[in-house]
Each structure stands twice: as C-alpha cells, then as structure tokens.
Amino acid sequence: MPQWRLDDGHQTLVLAADGDALPGVIHWGAPLPLDEDLDALAAAHRADLGGGSLDVTAPLSLCPEAGRGFAGHPGAILRDGDGMPVPLRLAGTTVERDDSALRISARCRDADLRYTATLAVQGPGLLALSARLDCAELMICDWLAAPVLPGPAHAAQMVDVHGGWIGEWHLNRAPWQPGQRVRDSRQGRSGHEHPPHAIFPERGATMTQGRASALHYGWSGGHRMVAEELPDGRRQIQMGHAPGAYHGLARRFETATLLAAHSDAGIGGTGVIFQRHIRDRVCRWPDASRPRPVHYNCWEAIYFQHDMATLKDIATAAADLGAERFVLDDGWFGRRDDDTSSLGDWWIDERKYPDGLGPLIEHVRGLGMAFGLWVEPEMVNEDSDLYRIHPSWVLGLPDQTRGRGQMVLDLSREDVRDHLFGALDAILRDHAVDYLKWDHNRLLPFSDATQTEGIYDLLDRLRAAHPGVEIESCASGGGRIDAGILARTHRVWLSDSNDALERTRIQHAAALLLPAAVTGSHVGPEVSHTSGRHLPMSFRAWVAAQRHMGFEMDPRTIGPADAGVLRAVTRWYKANRAWMHGGDIVRLAPEDPAMTAELQRAADGSRFVVFAAQTAVSSQTLPRPLLLAGLARDARYRVSLRNPEDIPPQSRGPVALKDGPIELSGAALMEMGLRLPWAWPATMWVIEGERL
C-alpha cells in the first residue's frame, strides 16, 4: 500500500492506496511523528469484513467511486452525452510532490477521463484542496466534490452556519448520526442561508480547548456540503459547487479550493487560522501598510433623496466626528428615485447632479476624506435603458419571478462583461474614486458556475486596471462572503442590520472565518432601521470599533453628548487599529449566556483588548468571572478597564477593575478570570491588557 503525507507542524494528512487505485485519507488531524511507520499505519487502518457485505470494503478515496461498490455519496456523478450514468472506477494513479504539495492523478477504467486532485499546505494548520475532471468526450457533471476528507471518528456533533437577511451567521449544532446531513446553497451566491463553512470538533472540544477541524469552500456561486456516516461507521465530508452548477456538456469540470484547518485550540482556534489566511494570503491589498480608514456611508441618512447641499453638510459633520472615507450610496445614477429603475444605467443623474459628481468629490476630499461609490453592476431593472436595448442580456427566462424589481445580467457572456467593464472603468477613470461598494441584491434564477466565473473575470479586470481602488462585497448584507470573492475584494458588509446587539452576535460568529480588517461594522442611528431598537451610543460605537469601523446615520442629528462619545471611541479605534487588524480574534466562552466576549490579541502577543458585551439580563445577580484565552501562561499582564464611565449606579461592590489597573499572570487570567462590574444590557466592557 503506497502512502504519502503532508505536514505543516500543526496537522498531518496521510494518504494510502491499494495498489494503483486512487488513494484516500487515512489520517487528518493532530501531527504524527515524522518517523511514523506509514506501512504500519496503513495496515492498522484496514477494517474487518462482516456478514451481509461485499467481499471487499469499497475505499473511501479522495473521490469515492460508485464503480468500486461504494454505497455512500459518490465523489463525482457523471453522465455521458446520451444522459447515461458513467460510474467512476479510478486506477493508474500517479503522484507528483514537492515539499508542500501533492498532485494526484488517476484514469477511469471504463471511460476516457482523468481525475486530478491537488493538496497543498497553505500555512500553519491549513491545507488547500481542489479537484478536476478532464474528459475526452463531452460529459454532463451533476456533482464533483473537492478531495474528500474523513469525518472525525471521535465526535458527536458538527457545527455549521445558517441565517437570513439581517440575521446572518447563526451557528447550528447537529449530531453525527447514520445517514447524510446535506447543506445546499442553490441561489447562485455563497448565501445567507448556508454559508460554505463548517466545523467538526472532536468529542470534548470547547470554544478555546481541544481538537477541532473546519472546512471552508472558497466559491461565490453556491455550494453543497455532505457530511455522511456510512452503515459501517466510517464518516466522510464532501464540499463542491451547488448541484446543477455545471450546465450542459463539457470536457473539463473543476471545483473551487476547499480550505481545511485543524487546531488543538478548540473551535475558535480554527477561526484564528482562517482569519490569518484571509488577511495575509487571500486579500490582495492595494497598500497593506495603509490603516483601515473610518468609513462613512450615507444610505441610512438619505436613502434615495440626493441633494448636493445636504450631502455636503453630512460630509462635513461626518468628518468632524472622525470619518476618513465618504461613500455615496444608491441613487446617484440613471433616474434612480427608488429600487425599481435604472440599474444598468451607469451614468450620473443630471437632475440631482447638474454639475456631475465633481463638486461633491472636491468637497469630500477637501475635508481630508477619500470618496467611494455604491454600484450593483450584475443587475438590471426592466425600467432601464440597458434592458430596453439589450433584453437578451438577462440570465434566465423573460417571465422569471422578479426580485426587488430587478433581474440578473448574464455574466457568462463576454459582451456583457465588456460593457460593464467599460462603464465602470469610465467612472473610475474620470473621478477620484478610491472605493466601490459592490452590491448584489438579487438571487440568481439558478446556480451557474459560468456566472460566478464571469464576475471573477470582471472584478479581476477592474482590479488590474485600477489597482488602487478598494472594493467591498455586499449582497443584501452578508449574502456573498467566501474566500473566492475575498480574493478580489477587501471588505465585506456583514449584514444590512446596524442593530448593535444583533451585530454583536453576527460578527462574533463570523470571526470563525473573517479577520477584523475585512469586516465592516458601522455605528447606526439611535433607533435601528431594521429592528426599531433604541441603543446607547457607547454600545453602538464600541461594537463598530471591534472591526473595520464606520458610521451610517445622519451625523447632523447626533446630540453633543453622543457626539463626544463617538469621537472618543473613534480616536481609540484609530490609535489601536494597526495592531488589532494585524492580530487575532480569540472567541471567549463566558459561562453567562447573556454575555458575548472576545479577546483581540496583537500578532506579537504584547497587548490585547477584551470586548465583553452584556446582551441581555443575566439570570444570576452578579457577573461570573470571565476566563480569558490565548495568553502566555507565564507572562504577566497589566489589565485595565477602558470605559469606567459606563458603570451603572447598581454596581456598588469592590471590583478591582473599577479602581485602576491590576497585574496578573496569564495563567491567572485564563484559569481564574476577571470579575467585571455589574452591567445593564447593551453595555460593552472594554478591557485593555499589556504584557509586562
């Protein structure tokens, strides 16, 4: 049995094969000794045979093969040009390797096609896997999984993600049990409903301790996850494009990159691995040394009511509060007075801007702010010049169900992409625009891999032509967040909800994938436009300061006291953003379910800040100690409460943090924890730590 292994110091992956058959993963997880006897390991992995089964246990290979009697979900489902099934039976394996990657190929015994898998180390604790089929004849591909990994044998649960508009990133725990757990996102984008992310903790793992693995499928066009426990007890995990994404007959089919992380620091440890990878390897920053500017977006201040004098006043007020970038949202183009018209008409509305955007841009830049624009290039309204001229450019049938009065442009067409590139290129060439908020509000009528490849191509062309322009990925909030889109953008709009309580939950969960530097978070109005909730300025400001901070309200309506609070928190953000955005978000696990807490740690471990949000009334009368995580046990830290002004009158006891800094070891902070003051709901404690 030939074997191969990949190591990165934090995990080991071992593959083995029977003869020249396609190999499968026999170990994925904790590091094995470098001198491990792989022959003995492979022999020890062989399972017995029982009654009532085939005479050979079908291998759980990188692409489980129906042609070898595999009774579970196959790794590929193919049909020939006549629609007849083509069961795979792969053999003749060849393996190419270098220090950090394996490239494994095999041919099908019963059809002229080749399967190729690539497995590569991407950094400490992270592997990248992808698969491809090359066929001599035209084929139909109903399913192709990225290289298949075994599910953990010693685990009771898996954690995946579900959600919806203004309610993204709910973590869902599901048991491992016989049969399949299938999660589909079929609406043409990575999706609010089932983002392509899942975590597989081993038994006993917590948020901060124990072994856990996690998978992320870096594709923006919809995906499927299959987590299956076979009748014989083996477990497999598959991820690939959404069913039906490969349209028609073709000779080549490819998956996106599946990112696989393993950590011995619990579920949150996998999040740190992904954060670092997204920030340091996936995002291609125009200038990585440039601080993430405080963002102002005018949407919740004016909606479609654009007026030059009003916008100049708003820009002046935003700059006074500390904003460093002004984004003009929807309504500046065509005859866009509501969301039923003008998508596709990317020319400036002369009714609202008779002298063009120049005077507003000049005013904004004169205040020391950069200027950004909202666009939604992938969509078109029927009430638009573009649709009237090119109705055939729409994806899907003419009588399809509409979404928000709009339809999707067919980006598989080169002429459509050329038109959109020309329109956007002209805007960026003729105006001092350094930022695009790129929205995607309409679900696709069906999943289509060529549509996703088209948007990637368009974004790549724009990035090449305008390398200094940053792009935000927005899709009704968090409907398109994945490593594929982040390879072409620099920020995500995590949710259309600016309710700071809801935002606390969403951005805390999304830290299982996203670093602070790419996660937009805005201070909304006192009364949330999506929930109607009234929240204090201190809480709204500190929630936004946890990520890439911004404002989204009418700044002219803020009273003097709230303006003072917002200025102070914004100054704190500016003073600390460099180390925060270059560091890690460590999710904490408070015993009190009414608290959500995280620790943001500098890359060199020299400092940290804890954000502890009281999100509801606690069931106990006094706060429980908050255990920190991710610190050096033998180091000593000076710890202080940044915002004692938020202590309510009900807090009357001798809490040490109320009296000034305290000094404790990392061991004490992680084993004994910190006592916090009593708090009202919608209070954020900000605790700063410095290593001595």
Side-chain angles (χ1 to χ4, degrees):
M1 293 182 69
Q3 307 93 26
W4 305 267
R5 65 183 289 169
L6 287 172
D7 293 272
D8 62 18
H10 292 255
Q11 64 179 330
T12 297
L13 183 140
V14 180
L15 300 104
D18 282 325
D20 69 347
L22 185 69
V25 176
I26 62 171
H27 173 79
W28 171 45
L32 297 176
L34 294 178
D35 61 353
E36 186 75 57
D37 185 335
L38 297 187
D39 284 327
L41 188 75
H45 182 73
R46 285 183 177 273
D48 199 357
L49 285 172
S53 66
L54 297 176
D55 294 339
V56 175
T57 299
L60 180 54
S61 70
L62 293 172
C63 182
E65 302 140 86
R68 291 185 178 273
F70 186 78
H73 197 287
I77 302 174
L78 292 171
R79 291 177 287 145
D80 63 21
D82 296 324
M84 298 301 294
V86 179
L88 288 189
R89 191 166 48 141
L90 297 166
T93 296
T94 62
V95 179
E96 302 172 20
R97 73 165 304 151
D98 58 30
D99 291 341
S100 61
L102 296 169
R103 187 173 182 271
I104 301 167
S105 296
R107 285 200 171 275
C108 183
R109 287 183 172 180
D110 308 304
D112 192 358
L113 62 87
R114 175 174 288 276
Y115 171 87
T116 303
T118 302
L119 303 89
V121 172
Q122 292 293 293
L126 193 70
L127 300 171
L129 304 88
S130 60
R132 189 180 80 220
L133 284 171
D134 292 287
C135 312
E137 304 294 331
L138 291 169
M139 295 273 186
I140 298 168
C141 183
D142 295 320
W143 169 250
L144 176 61
V148 174
L149 293 167
H154 307 291
Q157 292 182 324
M158 64 190 82
V159 182
D160 54 32
V161 186
H162 73 97
W165 179 68
I166 68 170
E168 293 86 345
W169 276 85
H170 290 272
L171 299 182
N172 187 62
R173 292 182 178 266
W176 277 103
Q177 58 188 15
Q180 298 175 1
R181 178 167 177 78
V182 179
R183 305 289 274 175
D184 279 348
S185 179
R186 295 173 172 261
Q187 298 174 326
R189 57 190 190 186
S190 32
H192 292 90
E193 64 283 3
H194 306 307
H197 198 82
I199 305 144
F200 302 91
E202 295 188 15
R203 195 180 299 275
T206 67
M207 189 57 63
T208 58
Q209 296 178 330
R211 293 174 179 163
S213 301
L215 297 176
H216 176 80
Y217 191 63
W219 178 247
S220 309
H223 82 290
R224 163 173 280 188
M225 181 193 81
V226 180
E228 181 176 27
E229 183 175 298
L230 301 167
D232 59 23
R234 291 180 296 171
R235 292 169 172 174
Q236 67 160 334
I237 309 166
Q238 298 187 12
M239 281 192 175
H241 288 9
Y246 304 105
H247 284 281
L249 293 159
R251 289 189 171 87
R252 172 174 286 191
F253 306 97
E254 297 181 80
T255 71
T257 298
L258 176 64
L259 297 172
H262 180 80
S263 173
D264 60 4
I267 292 171
T270 67
V272 170
I273 292 170
F274 281 118
Q275 292 166 28
R276 293 174 179 176
H277 181 69
I278 294 292
R279 182 191 65 224
D280 300 335
R281 296 179 65 96
V282 174
C283 284
R284 293 171 291 162
W285 306 97
D287 181 357
S289 66
R290 182 171 64 186
R292 309 297 286 140
V294 177
H295 203 87
Y296 176 76
N297 185 290
C298 69
W299 176 244
E300 292 197 15
I302 63 167
Y303 294 104
F304 292 104
Q305 305 303 312
H306 287 226
D307 172 76
M308 180 65 74
T310 299
L311 285 166
K312 286 182 175 181
D313 287 347
I314 288 173
T316 300
D320 180 64
L321 292 170
E324 297 165 307
R325 174 188 286 150
F326 180 96
V327 178
L328 185 65
D329 211 283
D330 196 355
W332 58 268
F333 56 92
R335 299 181 68 83
R336 182 78 163 170
D337 296 327
D338 56 36
D339 60 7
T340 66
S341 77
S342 299
L343 283 179
D345 297 343
W346 299 111
W347 37 265
I348 298 164
D349 187 345
E350 294 181 353
R351 302 170 305 156
K352 301 175 183 177
Y353 299 96
D355 299 316
L357 294 177
L360 179 60
I361 295 174
E362 182 180 352
H363 179 78
V364 166
R365 292 174 68 84
L367 294 166
M369 294 190 290
F371 186 82
L373 272 181
W374 180 96
V375 293
E376 193 173 5
E378 297 158 81
M379 308 298 162
V380 66
N381 289 122
E382 288 177 271
D383 182 10
S384 68
D385 289 348
L386 182 65
Y387 182 80
R388 284 184 281 270
I389 297 169
H390 295 292
S392 64
W393 283 8
V394 166
L395 182 69
L397 299 173
D399 61 349
Q400 65 184 267
T401 301
R402 304 301 191 254
R404 290 178 49 129
Q406 62 195 60
M407 293 183 288
V408 184
L409 292 171
D410 184 353
L411 292 182
S412 70
R413 295 179 55 143
E414 186 175 2
D415 54 352
V416 174
R417 299 197 303 274
D418 286 345
H419 170 82
L420 292 174
F421 174 81
L424 296 169
D425 178 62
I427 293 169
L428 295 175
R429 187 181 63 243
D430 297 341
H431 299 85
V433 173
D434 85 332
Y435 186 87
L436 290 177
K437 178 182 176 182
W438 189 295
D439 217 337
H440 182 290
N441 285 304
R442 167 72 157 86
L443 303 176
L444 270 63
F446 48 80
S447 291
D448 184 353
T450 59
Q451 182 75 7
T452 305
E453 291 162 359
I455 185 57
Y456 287 174
D457 175 72
L458 178 58
L459 287 168
D460 289 345
R461 289 175 66 186
L462 281 168
R463 289 287 311 279
H466 303 279
V469 173
E470 290 192 16
I471 301 175
E472 173 184 302
S473 175
C474 177
S476 299
R480 186 163 63 183
I481 295 176
D482 58 83
I485 203 69
L486 280 165
R488 295 156 175 91
T489 57
H490 313 90
R491 188 182 201 250
V492 296
W493 185 229
L494 193 54
S495 177
D496 280 343
S497 174
N498 275 326
D499 181 316
L501 278 174
E502 186 67 6
R503 272 275 172 165
T504 297
R505 181 195 61 75
I506 296 170
Q507 63 193 32
H508 186 63
L512 291 171
L513 172 66
L514 298 174
V518 308
T519 308
S521 188
H522 293 177
V523 182
E526 181 180 358
V527 180
S528 169
H529 290 200
T530 54
S531 69
R533 194 147 40 194
H534 294 244
L535 293 170
M537 174 57 80
S538 178
F539 186 70
R540 286 181 280 145
W542 284 118
V543 169
Q546 290 178 266
R547 299 296 188 266
H548 180 192
M549 186 179 190
F551 315 148
E552 190 163 347
M553 82 299 267
D554 188 339
R556 302 170 302 172
T557 64
I558 299 175
D562 280 353
V565 171
L566 183 53
R567 288 191 189 97
V569 175
T570 302
R571 285 194 298 271
W572 181 92
Y573 167 82
K574 290 178 179 180
N576 290 276
R577 59 186 164 186
W579 70 262
M580 288 172 59
H581 291 169
D584 304 323
I585 304 169
V586 179
R587 285 169 50 103
L588 303 180
E591 289 297 320
D592 185 356
M595 175 170 283
T596 299
E598 67 184 34
L599 180 149
Q600 295 197 26
R601 176 185 59 199
D604 62 2
S606 63
R607 60 196 305 180
F608 66 83
V609 60
V610 172
F611 295 99
Q614 187 76 27
T615 59
V617 176
S618 297
S619 59
Q620 71 277 347
T621 58
L622 294 176
R624 293 175 175 171
L626 177 64
L627 302 184
L628 307 192
L631 305 178
R633 294 183 58 83
D634 295 334
R636 295 192 64 79
Y637 296 88
R638 180 179 292 112
V639 181
S640 59
L641 181 65
R642 177 69 190 190
N643 56 328
E645 65 274 9
D646 291 332
I647 297 173
Q650 288 89 341
S651 175
R652 299 176 294 127
V655 177
L657 280 174
K658 293 163 61 173
D659 298 326
I662 58 176
E663 294 182 7
L664 292 170
S665 68
L669 291 168
M670 293 190 290
E671 300 296 337
M672 185 181 77
L674 283 174
R675 286 281 187 178
L676 302 177
W678 191 93
W680 287 328
T683 297
M684 178 75 76
W685 296 128
V686 182
I687 302 137
E688 295 179 297
E690 180 184 4
R691 185 169 178 167
L692 300 175

